[in-house]
Amino acid sequence: MKNIFDAGFVRDMCSTAANMYRLGWDERNGGNISYMIDKEQVAEYLDIDKAVREIPTGFDAKPLADRCFIVTGTGKYFKNVESDPETNLGIIRISKDGATAKLLWGYRDGGKFTSEFPAHMMSHIARLKVDCANRVVMHSHPTNLLAMNYVHPLDERKFSHTLWEMCTECIAVFPEGVGVLPWMLCGTNEIGEATAEKMKEFRVVIWALHGVYGAGKTLDETFGLIETVEKAAQIFMLTSHLPRINTIKDEDMVKLAELFKVNYRKDFLDI
């Protein structure tokens, strides 16, 4: 078998986690990533029928039965993923009954996947129903987006509209806008269920006063999605205390959406 440390999905997880830490999105052990990978890919590097141990999923994950994921570990620091992936990452395969996950590799120190695992898996289930190409769920604490939570109404329409106004590319990158949840206790199935419900409409879901969940087809795409939202939030925070004399008008956003042929939320615009 091939060396697991040479696997593209391991290298990509390492570089993505390093970038998220470098940008200040994932301080200490804040944030988590899960990436669905084909069994055939994993089988090039690991015996997918041989489990190191089994870990309870914490909810009924049967819709994901037999699927494989690489997931960041609970209590692990993103700054350490690149230097020690075998301790900070794990590759798991969901059991047929959805009650446990078979650990195929990783969590070398006896650890397990992130405490937000149910929220991630519930979001995967929701996104796969919308777009079967969606494979990544990413949670982080982008600084400016989090700051914006404290000074902007936590209303999906208003929040999305404000972000769209900040950068020309925004309505093209996240034309559905962003979902917003009120503050909820993290690490619970309740917040996982609420996030999954939002994921039926949005690829970006804000956890009020906490952080953000993003979903996408690849690690790069999902990272870029959150990166764009964070850039828009940064511009808002840099300008919100100043008189605004220019803005991107709603009719111009429509032109952008039509140019890029994206299905945008028309009810989020004043047209």
Side-chain angles (χ1 to χ4, degrees), residues 229-247:
V229 174
E230 167 66 356
K231 180 64 172 285
Q234 181 182 22
I235 294 170
F236 172 79
M237 294 305 296
L238 286 169
T239 60
S240 60
H241 63 293
L242 301 169
R244 187 186 296 186
I245 59 174
N246 299 303
T247 195

Side-chain angles (χ1 to χ4, degrees), residues 17-161:
N19 276 330
M20 293 169 77
Y21 176 77
R22 177 180 55 80
L23 289 169
W25 295 1
D26 296 274
E27 71 293 334
R28 199 171 181 269
N29 63 317
N32 21 76
I33 310 170
S34 60
Y35 174 21
M36 186 173 69
I37 41 184
D38 292 332
K39 284 189 301 180
E40 294 74 17
Q41 280 184 286
V42 180
E44 294 181 27
Y45 302 91
L46 301 169
D47 183 346
I48 61 173
D49 295 315
K50 184 179 179 181
V52 177
R53 50 192 163 91
E54 295 196 4
I55 307 170
T57 56
F59 81 111
D60 182 7
K62 198 177 295 180
L64 297 172
D66 218 28
R67 292 184 183 265
C68 293
F69 295 85
I70 183 167
V71 190
T72 51
T74 185
K76 304 306 182 189
Y77 292 24
F78 270 31
K79 70 182 181 69
N80 297 331
V81 173
E82 200 163 37
S83 61
D84 188 5
E86 193 171 5
T87 298
N88 296 284
L89 300 174
I91 297 174
I92 57 101
R93 183 179 179 184
I94 304 295
S95 62
K96 294 193 183 301
D97 64 3
T100 60
K102 299 177 186 298
L103 178 63
L104 305 179
W105 173 87
Y107 308 141
R108 182 173 54 181
D109 60 354
K112 64 175 191 174
F113 38 66
T114 170
S115 61
E116 304 289 359
F117 184 77
H120 275 253
M121 295 301 111
M122 291 175 189
S123 290
H124 277 290
I125 292 168
R127 288 307 306 169
L128 285 169
K129 291 177 180 176
V130 177
D131 184 347
C132 63
N134 274 206
R135 290 176 169 267
V136 176
V137 172
M138 191 177 288
H139 171 53
S140 61
H141 308 154
T143 306
N144 294 285
L145 184 58
L146 184 55
M148 187 174 167
N149 280 210
Y150 289 88
V151 297
H152 191 285
L154 293 172
D155 173 89
E156 288 172 349
R157 184 183 188 278
K158 293 177 181 178
F159 210 99
S160 298
H161 191 276

Side-chain angles (χ1 to χ4, degrees), residues 175-200:
E176 72 272 37
V178 298
V180 180
L181 289 177
W183 186 92
M184 298 177 71
L185 188 63
C186 57
T188 65
N189 284 4
E190 287 74 21
I191 197 169
E193 291 163 1
T195 305
E197 189 62 30
K198 291 291 183 186
M199 282 283 181
K200 294 176 181 178

